Amino acid sequence: MKQYILICLSVSICFNVGNSQKNTTENEEFKEIIWHVKAFKPEMKYLKIKAIDKKGRMYDVKAIQNSEQTSFLDVKAFVKGKRLPVKMLVGEEKYHPVKAIDEEGNILDIKAITEGGIVLPVKGVSKSGNIVHIRAIDEGIIFYNVVAVSPDGTTNAVKGIKLKPGNIETTIHGIDVFAHIKSIPQVSY
């Protein structure tokens, strides 16, 4: 019997410390909402999604909602007080690896972590037009969806987005990027 895991983003609200006004005017700045990356089984056991550096240190990966719109959210790794871009890199193998990139061009792995400490790679596995489908991969044969869940329970898919034709979307700190990682509305079939 196959078990399926959905990788989800749980949510907490972070307030802009510099803004002391109360929420009474239309022009007030939007209070940023941070979506924490988690994985869960149908039994609702959560798995962590982390950025892992070369020394094995783990950091949070989150989707960031910084306005009322929820259709296109940034996904970032929170490393030592900085928000690093999470991107899909140009791959040499069958699948494109999902990684975070720091200011010096160092790459951090993006992984799903099971309760037993098993580390699952997160990769771009197939492409539909400009969308690249991302999955956590268990033993190379079981693929788990990656989604974002809002505070009200609405879900977005976490996908790779291609804006340009060809293999290289952009280059960040010397690293070739295949696609940007975003949280977008799910398509119903």
Side-chain angles (χ1 to χ4, degrees), residues 52-54 89 97-102 104-110 175-176:
I52 305 173
D53 68 14
K54 300 280 186 223
L89 304 187
V98 176
K99 308 285 185 179
I101 305 168
D102 74 9
E104 288 88 39
N106 297 310
I107 296 172
L108 289 83
D109 293 326
I110 302 298
I175 306 298
D176 290 336

Side-chain angles (χ1 to χ4, degrees), residues 48-93:
K48 298 174 184 176
I49 299 296
K50 296 290 185 177
I52 305 173
D53 68 14
K54 300 280 186 223
K55 293 182 179 179
R57 294 177 292 217
M58 295 186 186
Y59 304 95
D60 291 332
V61 176
K62 304 176 184 193
I64 303 165
Q65 179 185 347
N66 56 14
S67 70
E68 291 293 328
Q69 71 83 22
T70 60
S71 298
F72 204 71
L73 305 179
D74 286 330
V75 176
K76 303 282 186 183
F78 284 56
V79 178
K80 299 178 183 176
K82 296 181 181 177
R83 296 178 182 189
L84 304 182
V86 174
K87 303 292 181 185
M88 188 176 302
L89 304 187
V90 174
E92 300 289 327
E93 299 174 10

Side-chain angles (χ1 to χ4, degrees), residues 109-181:
D109 293 326
I110 302 298
K111 303 286 185 177
I113 314 293
T114 69
E115 285 181 333
I118 297 170
V119 178
L120 305 178
V122 177
K123 297 187 178 211
V125 298
S126 65
K127 188 173 177 236
S128 301
N130 291 0
I131 304 295
V132 185
H133 305 286
I134 298 173
R135 304 287 186 262
I137 304 171
D138 188 5
E139 298 177 8
I141 56 170
I142 301 172
F143 296 105
Y144 305 110
N145 292 329
V146 179
V147 298
V149 180
S150 74
D152 66 5
T154 304
T155 59
N156 277 359
V158 176
K159 302 283 185 181
I161 306 293
K162 293 277 301 158
L163 302 174
K164 297 179 182 177
N167 272 345
I168 299 176
E169 182 76 18
T170 189
T171 301
I172 298 176
H173 305 297
I175 306 298
D176 290 336
V177 172
F178 180 73
H180 306 281
I181 306 299

